[in-house]
Structure formats: C-alpha cells, structure tokens
C-alpha cells in the first residue's frame, strides 16, 4: 500500500517544543505566534466527523511543536477516539523523543507507532537537534528508545526513526543504520531537508534559494548503498522519495483525499507543512476548513478541496510521460507549493532522484509501516 493510501486524522497538538532544531521548518512562524494548543472540543468533533466519513480508525499526533508537551491532551484525545472507534483504533505519534518517564510509560501502553525524529549518531543529533541551552538531546532519546524496546513485551508497538538528511549525515547513512540498529530500531525513514516554509514561496525569495544547499545526488548514491546494507541486516531503510514505491498511485499522498489535520488555531489542514490556518500566505491552499465556534461545527472551502482532489499525474504536464509516475504520484504537494507557489509545480532535482531510485531499487514490496 503506497503512502498515498495512508488515511488518518492528525492532531497538530501544540506550538510548545522543548528542543531547538537548527532546521525547524516552521520555527519563525511558530515564534511569531503566541503559544497555542489544539482545543479538546475541536479534536473530539474532528474524531466524530472523521469516523463517520472515513473507514480508517487511525489517529496521529504531530507538531507544530512537540506533541508530548501536551501529554494530558494527547491522552484525552486517544481515550475519546477509543471510546468512539473501539478496538479498531490505532495510534501514531511523531515525537522528538526527549520525553519524561511518565510520558514514555503512557506511550508504551497506548501507542502502536512511534516515529522518533532522530538524525543519526549523537554528534549529528546533538548538533542538529539540541535543547535550547545547547544541551545534547541524544542521551535522553537513546535512553527512552532502549527503555521502550526493553519493556515492549507482546505489545503492538513499533518505535522507528525518521531522519532529516542534511549535509552532516548525508554521507554517513550506513553508519546510521548500524547506530539505529544498536538501539533496537528496525524501521528508518529518511527525508531530504527542504527550504523552510515562510511567508513567500522560495522561488520569490532569491536569498533563501541561494542559501539552500542539499546535494541530492550524493544523498541518492549513499541512500542506495545504505538501503542494500540495511536489507542484509533485515532493517527497513526508506526515503521520502520512495514512499510510493510499494504500489501504484496517481496521487502523491493523503493531501489529495484530503484527510483532516486539525491545527491549534482551529483550522483543517491537508498537509503536515501547514500547521496554522490563520496565516495568509502561499500555503493557504492546503487549509480547507475551519471550526465554527458558534455553530460548533466544521465549515469547508469547496474550491480548495477540489484543487487538491484534482491533482494527479494525469493532469500535471511534466508527469504525464514520466516512467516513474505511478510510483511517485507527482511528488509532495507541500514542498512543491512552498518552492514554486503552484500545486502542479515541479522540483526537477527531486524528479531526477526519484527516477534514479526507481531504476536502481524499485518497485518495492509492501511496506510494513508507511512514511509518517
Ligand atoms: S508534506 Fe507532502 S507528503 Fe506530507 S501531507 Fe503534505 S503534501 Fe502530503
Ligand atoms: S518524478 Fe517528477 S515528473 Fe515523474 S511523476 Fe514524479 S514529480 Fe512527476
């Protein structure tokens, strides 16, 4: 089942975060806003509506800050989902992994999938993802992951790594496989760094365009080596660029359904890159609904919904004749809009990388755990 088929309701719980990652994609946006947390009332209404309209019973906790910073709220939402959806409910979290022992005890008994944003061996992790006082984050994350694995027993719980690839770790991918393996991690997804989401598309911001440096060819070369190495060790090593390689699809991801991602400021987003609704910027095409406080219901924006639903490789001109189209789906809408300002824009560097990867390693067998 390719990534495009992943259906779930996501809760963008809070802006609070206890780390200060150097590349944080929405850092400026988050700092400019007052601290905000998703109201429980909206989360509950979102569950009611999603469980009525979609067969999926998968719920997911995500940014814009660190979800475990609002641990009580996360636990209330999970309880409510189980009350409404029963035993079919499955749970997923993307976390920075720097949580305390109370939180990890709850995670152990309440979650099925935990993706830890973790950038590799301690020297890289501590440089890319430090605490605000520059204190290293690797020790507490290692301890938490080892503890979860030690205490997992027969629980249906997977703890995997979601790695942001930058110039620091791009050439250390085999070493990364060994390092994560030593912590008991068997599922690793790697994501090439992309320019942060700010007020304007990257194409209109010359300075930002020039500042962005990512050697995609080097990433792909080293990814293929690490992928083959990981396979020998029976470890899953994936790339965001290969997230649709295990099936066929004409769309890239859930943003084309779309499925709800509830924002802390009371909007419905289609994409992980758009974590607030009130901003008037180029990413607003992903905000397709809003919570109406008075009526206590969601209201939707049909034109925006239709634009996302219409996005398919059949009607994107550069995709139509691409041999990789059914294993790509036209690539990530969020990144494309952020960089080109258009839903059907193109990232040619990524296209070359996807085609190389498909020739070298694809198509792939069914993934056990889809990209977050
Ligand atoms: S970031 Fe890309 S892959 Fe993720 S939801 Fe947004 S458009 Fe889809
Ligand atoms: S690789 Fe590029 S051209 Fe090919 S389907 Fe994907 S986005 Fe379209």
């Amino acid at each position: 089942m390719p990534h495009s088929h992943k259906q779930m309701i996501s809760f963008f719980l809070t802006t609070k975060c206890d780390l200060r990652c150097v590349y944080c994609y929405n850092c400026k946006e988050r700092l400019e806003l007052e601290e905000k947390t998703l109201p429980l009332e909206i989360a509950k209404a979102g569950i009611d509506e999603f469980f009525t309209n979609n067969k999926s019973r998968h719920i997911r906790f995500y940014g814009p800050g660190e979800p475990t910073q609002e641990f009580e709220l996360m636990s209330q939402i999970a309880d409510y989902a189980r009350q409404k959806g029963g035993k079919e409910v499955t749970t997923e979290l993307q976390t920075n992994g720097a949580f305390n022992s109370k939180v990890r005890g709850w995670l152990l008994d309440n979650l099925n999938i935990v993706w830890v944003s973790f950038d590799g061996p301690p020297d890289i992790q501590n440089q890319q993802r430090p605490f605000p006082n520059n204190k290293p984050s690797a020790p507490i994350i290692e301890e938490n992951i080892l503890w979860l694995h030690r205490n997992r027993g027969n629980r249906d719980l997977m703890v995997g790594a979601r790695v942001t690839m930058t110039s620091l770790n791009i050439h250390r991918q085999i070493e990364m496989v060994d390092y994560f393996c030593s912590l008991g991690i068997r599922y690793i997804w790697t994501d090439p760094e992309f320019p942060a989401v700010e007020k304007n598309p990257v194409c209109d911001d010359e300075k930002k365009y020039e500042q962005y440096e990512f050697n995609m060819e080097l990433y792909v070369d080293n990814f293929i080596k690490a992928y083959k190495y990981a396979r020998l060790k029976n470890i899953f090593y994936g790339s965001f660029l290969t997230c649709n390689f295990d099936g066929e699809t004409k769309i890239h991801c859930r943003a084309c359904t779309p499925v709800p991602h509830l924002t802390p400021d009371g909007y419905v987003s289609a994409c992980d890159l758009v974590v607030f609704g009130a901003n008037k910027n180029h990413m607003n095409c992903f905000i397709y609904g809003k919570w109406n406080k008075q009526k206590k219901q969601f209201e939707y924006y049909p034109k925006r919904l239709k634009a996302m639903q219409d996005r398919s490789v059949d009607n994107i001109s550069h995709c139509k004749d691409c041999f990789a189209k059914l294993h790509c789906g036209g690539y990530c809408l969020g990144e494309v809009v952020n960089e080109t300002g258009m839903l059907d824009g193109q990232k040619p560097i990524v296209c070359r990388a996807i085609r190389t990867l498909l020739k070298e390693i694809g198509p792939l067998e069914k993934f056990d755990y889809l990209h977050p």
Side-chain angles (χ1 to χ4, degrees), residues 115 186-189 230 234-239 364 367-369:
W115 290 111
R186 309 207 67 80
Y187 293 91
I188 305 161
W189 277 107
N234 205 19
I235 288 175
F236 175 86
Y237 192 71
S239 165
L364 300 175
F367 300 148
D368 292 340
Y369 294 96

Side-chain angles (χ1 to χ4, degrees), residues 3 8 12 60 62 194 240 243 252-256 259 261 269-274 283 286 311 331-336 371-372:
H3 176 64
M8 64 200 168
F12 292 160
R60 169 176 177 258
Y62 190 79
F194 55 82
F240 184 51
C243 69
H252 180 260
C253 72
R254 60 184 180 271
C256 298
V259 289
H261 301 62
S269 168
C271 172
D272 275 357
L273 299 193
V274 191
M283 300 297 275
F286 293 104
R311 189 184 191 269
Y331 196 56
C332 168
L333 297 63
E335 282 183 37
V336 160
H371 185 279

